[in-house]
């Protein structure tokens, strides 16, 4: 009994803030999962039962095991918002039941389930224990909450949980552990200790001695994770309602864990190239003359950019799907004119239509029964932006995105915006956020229709934003099926990567926030959200010129690259900080544009595999201890190590390079790895290192992404005995790639003392790039080669036209690009 009192207190931690309405549970009975009878096998599932509930263990595939526990009286988890239909049929595990335990086994994993009491333990195929329920605690249930305690080993590192602040390794500080809550929250100006934030991803990765597995808790209620805080050797997960339903995902490579997690929950869609360019935003650019001036400035000053953003002041009284026609008298003409300057425009659409008879969204929503309701069936109303409007302020009503009918309706509302050429949609306030309440969100008893399984806000809250992006995404796809949509969202949930890119909300204009953005992007990436990027320069407050420049430089390889600031702050455009900084800022954005082919290639890989382009060091170097806790270095793809300068006023930057030979991206100077180097840096420095054997794909400078197509493709090839890289391209805009209109080629090299052999082979696709050059830049030669052959034909060195060698050992070889395979043999 003493013990259950202690456990009650522990459960209490699960409802840290903003009133989850769970205070009643302390008076209710708490029980342990208890002993189970011998299981029954039902198809692929092993079912354990006792008088308190039912537990089920099933193999989803060789590497993924699903464990469920449904206490009596709780709602069974019949439909997942996160998990997508799996391509492969579940595997049939080998099941052996003994008197005290049951063994369930695939080729990669072995699960032992102890019957008395019920405990689950996971082993790899070599018999190493990967994860186990805590023997004395296991699973408990009280009120609507369930909780499982697992072992936490001293040398385990914990990563993920999506959008969380703090260091990359979520164990927290050396002592004291850490805990995280999943409850989407509007948290303007958050810092390194704020939790929860806007997005909930109840997924984490465990890494020990370089080997990893993952756990995904598929539950949309408020959930809570404790990593060694309650007790240093325990990791616990608790849920605020419903079924305890989690997936154990085997690696052992960290990349495999994310690949398998995203096989389960889906992957980002391939974005159009322009979405990877530079975006300029502020809250808000208005009237239209202001937006035009911003566009003119970019072009006049030769600072590359693709997209301008319209924040809430373009709307009439903050009403979604309207225009303030005083500020923007002719939106169609504005968008068309900007398009002539090669800009695209993204506009914001919030989740809160105004309650106003005569406003088409309100009228249609009422007629169609699209708004969420109170327990008594009346429509739920609450103040958000329309309550702050100068004219006739009023409360808002809220679409019930849990209903597919409502999602279809909402998706169709974008038509007028797309008709005038709006290129993408930005969904905000979809945690959902409401003003003037203690919790900052809906009342928990707000009712959702949920496609025939009515439920309340406790279950839908965390997926509300994701379901909104699903509505937006499919609306855009239906209205403009030939084009790839861009949707950006503030709130989301596990699996939301299928519908939208995300940004981590209202950060501060501070050096701390800049440093924080790096582990945050990596944490989101390894949790499936590969298309991420923070407000460059910071949202709240005003950056110094130095901070703005460093932020821009640090984001050159950020998947989503957008400058943004809040209402009333000083100008925050690349030219807002004087001539010197304008030049520095231009240089950073120019670099982004030269590397767009490389970035696009890596983002396409992310869309195929789920492995994020921007990734922690340990994903590439899992056996390197130095990588395990590193929050400030990251990799872009498998071959660029990013070491941005993150401190003011410094002239050195320490960079740890993992084992191998590295090259400075700009100078191609060589650095030996497995050590820390101290670099001299100036305000110009954007320290990036290239891994040996890398193929880096760039193009000449352009001012906007549409201009890339006919530019020469430059491939920098860095020395290694053997290496290869696939390179992907397509029209960068449309859905034609889905029908095979793309080109995938393999670049490979083999080097020995006497030769460098380079091959370019077509793998798939018939996409014909525009007529252009292919310029190979082969690094690491010592002196001029004896001969260079292409497809067996020796090139004439004497006239100097066919290739050149610089004193730094770079051989430049311009070719005509074509679909045909090429073999280049260099005799040294
Ligand atoms: O309550 O639309 O995070 O990016 O500029 C503030 C105005 C509402 C919050 C977003 C921010 C956006 C702002 N929005």
């Amino acid at each position: 009994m003493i013990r259950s009192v202690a456990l009650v207190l522990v459960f209490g931690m699960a409802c840290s803030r903003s009133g989850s309405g769970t205070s009643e549970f302390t008076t209710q009975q708490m029980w342990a999962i208890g002993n189970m009878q011998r299981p029954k096998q039902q198809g692929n599932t092993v079912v354990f039962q006792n008088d308190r509930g039912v537990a089920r263990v099933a193999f989803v595939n060789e590497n993924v095991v699903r464990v469920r526990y449904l206490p009596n009286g709780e709602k069974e988890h019949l439909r997942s918002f996160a998990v997508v239909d799996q391509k492969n049929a579940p595997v049939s595990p080998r099941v052996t039941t003994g008197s005290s335990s049951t063994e369930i086994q695939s080729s990669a994993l072995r699960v032992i389930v102890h019957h008395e009491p019920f405990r689950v333990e996971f082993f790899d195929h070599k018999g190493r224990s990967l994860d186990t329920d805590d023997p004395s605690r296991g699973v408990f249930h009280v009120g609507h909450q369930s909780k499982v305690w697992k072992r936490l080993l001293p040398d385990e590192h914990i990563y993920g949980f999506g959008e969380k602040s703090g260091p990359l390794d979520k164990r927290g500080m050396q002592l004291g552990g850490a805990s995280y809550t999943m409850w989407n929250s509007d948290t303007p100006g958050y810092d390194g200790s704020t939790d929860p934030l806007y997005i909930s991803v109840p997924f984490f990765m465990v890494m020990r001695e370089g080997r990893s597995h993952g756990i995904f808790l598929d539950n949309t209620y408020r959930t809570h994770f404790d990593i060694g805080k309650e007790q240093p050797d325990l990791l616990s997960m608790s849920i605020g309602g419903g079924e305890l339903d989690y997936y154990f995902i085997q690696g052992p490579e960290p990349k495999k864990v994310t690949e398998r997690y995203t096989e389960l929950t889906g992957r980002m869609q391939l974005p159009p190239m322009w979405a990877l360019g530079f975006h300029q935003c502020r809250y808000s650019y208005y009237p239209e003359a202001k937006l035009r001036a911003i566009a003119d400035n970019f072009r006049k000053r030769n600072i590359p950019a693709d997209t301008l953003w319209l924040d809430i002041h373009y709307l009439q009284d903050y009403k979604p799907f309207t225009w303030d026609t005083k500020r923007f008298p002719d939106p169609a003409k504005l968008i068309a004119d900007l398009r002539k300057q090669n800009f695209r425009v993204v506009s914001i659409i919030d989740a809160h239509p105004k309650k106003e008879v005569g406003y088409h969204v309100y009228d249609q929503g009422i007629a169609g029964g699209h708004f969420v309701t109170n327990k008594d069936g009346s429509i739920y109303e609450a103040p958000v932006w329309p309550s702050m409007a100068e004219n006739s302020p009023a409360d808002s009503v809220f679409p019930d995105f849990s209903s597919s009918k409502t999602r279809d309706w909402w998706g169709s509302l974008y038509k007028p915006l797309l008709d005038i050429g709006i290129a993408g949609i930005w969904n905000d306030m979809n945690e959902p956020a409401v003003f003037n309440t203690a919790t900052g969100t809906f009342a928990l008893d707000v009712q959702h229709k949920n496609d025939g399984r009515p439920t309340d806000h406790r279950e839908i809250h965390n997926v509300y934003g994701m379901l909104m992006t699903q509505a937006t995404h499919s609306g855009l796809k239906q209205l403009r099926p030939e084009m790839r949509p861009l949707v950006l969202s503030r709130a989301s949930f596990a699996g939301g990567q299928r519908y939208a890119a995300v940004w981590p909300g209202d950060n501060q204009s501070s050096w701390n926030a800049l440093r924080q953005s790096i582990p945050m992007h990596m944490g989101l990436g390894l949790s499936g959200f590969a298309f991420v990027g923070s407000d460059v320069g910071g949202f709240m407050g005003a950056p110094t010129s130095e901070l703005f420049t460093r932020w821009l430089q640090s984001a050159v390889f950020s998947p989503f690259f957008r400058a943004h600031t809040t209402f009333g702050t000083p100008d925050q455009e690349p030219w807002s900080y004087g001539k010197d900084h304008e030049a520095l800022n231009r240089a950073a954005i120019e670099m982004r544009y030269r590397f767009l082919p490389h970035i696009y290639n890596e983002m396409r890989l992310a869309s195929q595999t789920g492995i994020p382009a921007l990734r922690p060091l340990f994903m590439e170097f899992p056996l390197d201890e130095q990588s395990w806790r590193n929050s400030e270095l990251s990799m872009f793809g498998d071959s660029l190590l990013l070491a941005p300068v993150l401190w003011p006023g410094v002239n050195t930057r320490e960079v740890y390079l993992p084992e191998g030979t590295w090259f400075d991206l700009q100078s191609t100077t060589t650095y030996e790895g497995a050590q820390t180097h101290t670099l001299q840096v100036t305000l110009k420095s954007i320290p990036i290192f290239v891994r040996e054997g890398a193929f880096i794909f760039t193009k000449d400078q352009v001012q906007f992404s549409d201009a890339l197509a006919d530019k020469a493709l430059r491939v920098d090839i860095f020395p290694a005995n053997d290496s290869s890289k696939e390179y992907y391209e397509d029209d960068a805009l449309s859905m034609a790639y889905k029908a095979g209109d793309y080109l995938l080629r393999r670049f490979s090299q083999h080097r020995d003392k006497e030769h460098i052999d380079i091959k370019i082979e077509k793998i798939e696709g018939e996409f014909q790039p525009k007529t252009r050059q292919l310029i190979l830049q082969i690094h690491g030669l010592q002196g001029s080669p004896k001969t260079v052959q292409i497809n067996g034909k020796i090139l004439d060195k004497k006239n100097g036209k066919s290739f050149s060698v610089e004193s730094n050992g770079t051989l430049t070889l311009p070719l005509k690009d074509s679909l045909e395979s090429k073999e280049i043999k260099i005799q040294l």
Side-chain angles (χ1 to χ4, degrees):
M1 197 55 225
I2 288 171
R3 170 148 186 201
S4 48
V5 170
L7 289 168
V8 167
L9 293 174
V10 162
F11 261 104
M13 291 171 58
C15 50
S16 50
R17 41 176 284 180
S18 45
S20 61
T22 46
S23 55
E24 75 273 17
F25 71 74
T26 44
T27 60
Q28 296 185 8
Q29 214 196 330
M30 161 180 289
W31 73 62
I33 192 168
N35 298 337
M36 291 286 180
Q37 296 148 18
R38 279 172 72 97
K40 292 194 186 83
Q41 200 172 342
Q42 289 173 0
N44 299 297
T45 306
V46 184
V47 184
F48 300 84
Q49 180 112 38
N50 64 16
D51 58 1
R52 294 173 178 176
V54 51
R56 281 172 281 196
V57 181
F59 270 81
V60 176
N61 57 50
E62 297 288 324
N63 294 288
V64 178
V65 181
R66 182 178 180 190
V67 179
R68 305 169 66 174
Y69 177 58
L70 182 67
N72 290 343
E74 284 305 321
K75 212 160 86 184
E76 191 177 350
H77 191 210
L78 289 172
R79 185 187 79 175
S80 174
F81 291 102
V83 174
V84 296
D85 291 340
Q86 298 296 294
K87 275 195 211 110
N88 304 316
V91 298
S92 295
R94 258 184 299 135
V95 182
T96 327
T97 298
S99 57
S100 64
S101 68
T102 298
E103 218 178 283
I104 314 167
Q105 202 165 335
S106 76
S107 63
L109 277 173
R110 183 157 60 101
V111 185
I112 294 186
V113 184
H114 299 282
H115 303 164
E116 300 190 351
F118 181 84
R119 298 286 184 268
V120 188
E121 183 163 10
F122 301 87
F123 300 85
D124 69 8
H125 69 285
K126 287 192 172 150
R128 285 182 292 231
S129 170
L130 303 175
D131 176 67
T132 179
D133 291 352
D134 178 59
S136 65
R137 296 175 183 229
V139 179
F140 267 78
H141 182 71
V142 62
H144 284 294
Q145 300 191 30
S146 303
K147 180 165 179 174
V148 56
W149 281 267
K150 290 175 168 291
R151 170 187 74 194
L152 180 64
L153 295 171
D155 55 351
E156 279 176 335
H157 301 269
I158 311 289
Y159 309 107
F161 299 114
E163 184 187 63
K164 292 298 181 192
S165 52
L168 179 69
D169 184 348
K170 296 301 179 207
R171 282 202 82 148
M173 297 304 142
Q174 295 297 346
L175 292 170
S179 69
Y180 292 100
T181 295
M182 299 298 165
W183 187 255
N184 292 359
S185 304
D186 179 7
T187 49
Y190 64 87
D191 65 22
S193 62
T194 313
D195 183 71
L197 300 175
Y198 309 87
I199 298 174
S200 294
V201 190
F203 162 79
F204 61 96
M205 191 187 287
V206 179
M207 202 245 260
R208 181 170 182 243
E209 294 171 344
R211 288 189 300 273
S212 319
H213 63 265
I215 291 186
F216 170 50
L217 177 59
D218 191 11
N219 185 292
T220 65
Y221 290 83
R222 175 188 284 262
T223 57
H224 188 76
F225 295 82
D226 186 297
I227 306 130
K229 191 168 180 182
E230 177 189 338
Q231 197 174 298
D233 57 351
L234 290 177
L235 184 153
S236 69
M237 315 192 274
S238 61
I239 60 175
E243 182 166 359
L244 184 70
D245 183 354
Y246 72 87
Y247 294 80
F248 178 93
I249 303 163
Q250 165 62 337
E253 300 83 3
K255 282 183 187 171
K256 280 281 171 220
V257 177
T258 296
E259 192 172 345
R260 289 175 178 145
Y261 166 69
T262 54
E263 191 178 326
L264 212 55
T265 59
R267 292 172 180 146
M268 66 171 280
Q269 315 262 323
L270 179 62
M273 184 74 86
W274 62 266
L276 300 175
F278 183 66
H279 302 261
Q280 182 67 46
C281 189
R282 90 159 285 132
Y283 169 21
S284 310
Y285 288 130
Y286 72 94
E288 73 152 66
K290 179 74 194 176
L291 200 66
R292 289 178 185 276
I294 297 291
D296 292 344
N297 263 292
F298 274 104
R299 295 303 178 234
K300 191 177 77 202
R301 295 167 190 269
N302 279 311
I303 299 174
D306 266 275
T307 310
L308 304 176
W309 290 58
L310 288 173
D311 207 332
I312 51 176
H313 289 90
Y314 83 91
L315 300 164
Q316 180 68 51
D317 306 326
Y318 304 126
K319 290 185 293 194
F321 306 107
T322 64
W323 285 87
D324 181 323
T325 49
K326 283 210 188 72
R327 293 168 180 164
F328 294 88
D330 191 348
K333 178 154 195 318
L334 172 67
I335 309 294
D337 289 349
L338 291 171
R339 191 79 273 278
K340 285 183 205 139
Q341 289 177 281
N342 295 292
F343 280 103
R344 289 183 163 82
V345 178
V346 173
S347 64
I348 198 167
I349 290 292
D350 288 345
H352 50 61
K354 186 181 175 192
K355 180 191 178 190
E356 181 182 86
V357 175
Y359 160 45
H360 70 292
V361 181
Y362 180 73
D363 290 349
Q364 287 177 24
I366 293 290
H370 292 306
F371 299 129
V372 296
T373 53
N374 295 303
K375 224 172 173 178
D376 65 5
S378 59
I379 288 176
Y380 174 76
E381 297 163 7
V384 204
W385 282 115
S387 72
M388 312 286 270
E390 281 169 40
N391 311 308
S392 58
D395 278 357
S396 286
V397 291
F398 302 87
D400 185 356
F401 293 116
S402 72
S403 156
S404 47
K405 199 180 80 180
T406 298
R407 288 199 299 273
D408 290 346
W409 166 66
W410 189 263
S412 74
L413 293 172
Y414 291 104
K415 183 164 193 307
L417 287 169
L418 299 205
D419 283 347
I420 62 164
I422 288 287
I425 296 295
W426 175 18
N427 285 155
D428 189 21
M429 306 299 280
N430 51 356
E431 290 70 28
V434 302
F435 297 161
N436 303 338
T437 64
T439 64
T441 193
F442 294 179
L444 293 174
D445 61 0
V446 158
Q447 303 295 301
H448 295 271
K449 293 199 192 71
N450 196 25
D451 282 346
R453 295 192 196 97
T455 186
D456 66 25
H457 196 59
R458 295 177 317 134
E459 186 177 357
I460 298 301
H461 176 83
N462 280 337
V463 289
Y464 188 83
M466 167 165 103
L467 295 171
M468 180 190 196
T469 63
Q470 184 182 355
T472 304
H473 176 87
S474 53
L476 264 51
K477 279 190 91 157
Q478 266 182 33
L479 292 164
R480 214 162 40 194
E482 71 286 2
M483 294 311 238
R484 296 176 213 171
L486 173 67
V487 180
L488 179 74
S489 181
R490 194 170 69 177
S492 199
F493 185 75
Q497 66 267 15
R498 306 191 295 264
Y499 311 118
V502 295
W503 95 103
D506 298 346
N507 58 358
Q508 299 178 31
S509 295
S510 71
W511 290 91
N512 268 329
L514 165 61
R515 287 188 289 273
Q516 177 65 75
S517 71
I518 292 171
M520 210 175 235
H521 295 164
M522 297 194 284
L524 274 159
L526 71 89
S527 309
F529 283 86
F531 198 7
V532 295
S534 300
D535 289 349
V536 169
F539 179 74
M540 312 275 286
T544 61
S545 51
E546 185 187 3
L547 176 57
F548 185 81
T549 294
R550 288 306 193 197
W551 207 315
L552 208 53
Q553 293 173 339
S554 84
V556 166
F557 284 91
S558 174
F560 180 62
F561 188 28
R562 185 185 72 158
H564 184 37
T565 182
T566 188
F567 191 75
T569 54
D571 287 352
Q572 196 166 309
E573 289 87 37
W575 55 84
S576 305
Y577 304 91
K579 276 271 162 273
D580 292 353
H581 278 274
E582 182 177 334
L584 294 163
N585 298 340
R586 179 188 299 106
I589 300 175
E590 283 179 347
M591 185 173 180
R592 169 71 171 212
Y593 276 78
R594 285 198 307 279
F595 283 85
L596 270 179
H598 194 84
I599 293 169
Y600 188 67
N601 195 44
E602 295 295 347
M603 292 302 283
R604 183 257 173 187
L605 267 177
S607 76
Q608 295 273 306
T609 64
I611 301 166
L614 188 77
R615 60 185 75 146
L617 239 53
F618 76 77
M619 270 192 156
E620 289 300 322
F621 304 96
L623 299 177
D624 184 340
E625 279 188 46
Q626 298 288 320
S627 76
W628 296 346
R629 296 181 68 96
N630 197 318
S631 294
E632 57 162 40
L633 299 177
S634 45
M635 296 290 296
F636 190 82
D638 52 10
S639 54
L640 293 177
L641 186 147
L642 315 178
V645 180
L646 304 170
W647 299 86
V650 295
N651 46 31
T652 58
R653 207 284 187 218
E654 291 204 339
V655 182
Y656 172 75
L657 297 176
E659 190 160 32
T661 302
W662 296 83
F663 304 88
D664 181 296
L665 178 63
Q666 321 265 5
S667 67
T668 72
T669 309
T670 307
Y671 287 80
E672 279 313 313
Q675 53 186 295
T676 299
H677 294 270
T678 303
L679 312 174
Q680 299 300 311
V681 297
T682 67
L683 264 182
K684 283 190 185 149
S685 307
I686 308 178
I688 295 175
F689 295 87
V690 186
R691 196 174 181 176
E692 57 192 345
F695 294 80
I696 308 292
F697 304 93
T698 56
K699 289 197 172 187
D700 282 346
Q701 198 62 61
V702 294
Q703 294 299 310
F704 48 89
S705 64
D706 286 347
L708 285 167
D710 56 2
K711 291 278 178 291
L713 176 65
R714 187 172 291 104
V715 187
D716 280 85
I717 304 173
F718 288 85
N721 291 346
D722 285 287
S723 69
S724 70
K725 181 76 181 173
E726 291 181 5
Y727 182 69
Y728 172 87
E729 55 194 317
D730 58 17
D731 68 18
L733 213 55
S734 82
M735 299 303 290
Y737 74 98
K738 289 265 188 197
D741 195 14
Y742 63 89
L743 177 60
L744 186 63
R745 290 186 284 183
R746 182 181 292 109
F747 288 74
S748 58
Q749 66 173 334
H750 171 79
R751 299 194 189 202
D752 57 36
K753 279 210 180 76
E754 272 122 46
H755 302 93
I756 303 176
D757 291 347
I758 291 166
K759 280 192 194 143
I760 306 168
E761 298 155 289
K762 194 178 98 174
I763 303 175
E764 279 169 23
E766 295 302 328
F767 176 75
Q768 178 71 57
K770 289 207 175 151
T771 314
R772 63 175 194 209
Q773 277 194 314
L774 172 68
I775 303 169
L776 303 183
Q777 301 202 143
I778 303 154
H779 299 287
L781 274 77
Q782 269 138 27
S784 275
K786 293 199 181 103
T787 58
V788 177
Q789 281 182 31
I790 300 178
N791 293 343
K793 242 183 85 190
I794 296 193
L795 291 186
D796 185 359
K797 183 165 72 173
K798 275 170 226 129
N799 66 22
K801 271 190 190 140
S802 49
F803 66 92
S804 61
V805 186
E806 284 157 53
S807 57
N808 68 357
T810 299
L811 184 149
T812 302
L813 178 60
L815 308 166
K816 189 173 169 305
D817 203 359
S818 63
L819 295 184
E820 81 188 28
S821 297
K822 293 183 181 54
E823 215 174 328
I824 294 117
K825 283 187 178 291
I826 302 171
Q827 205 182 353
L828 300 172

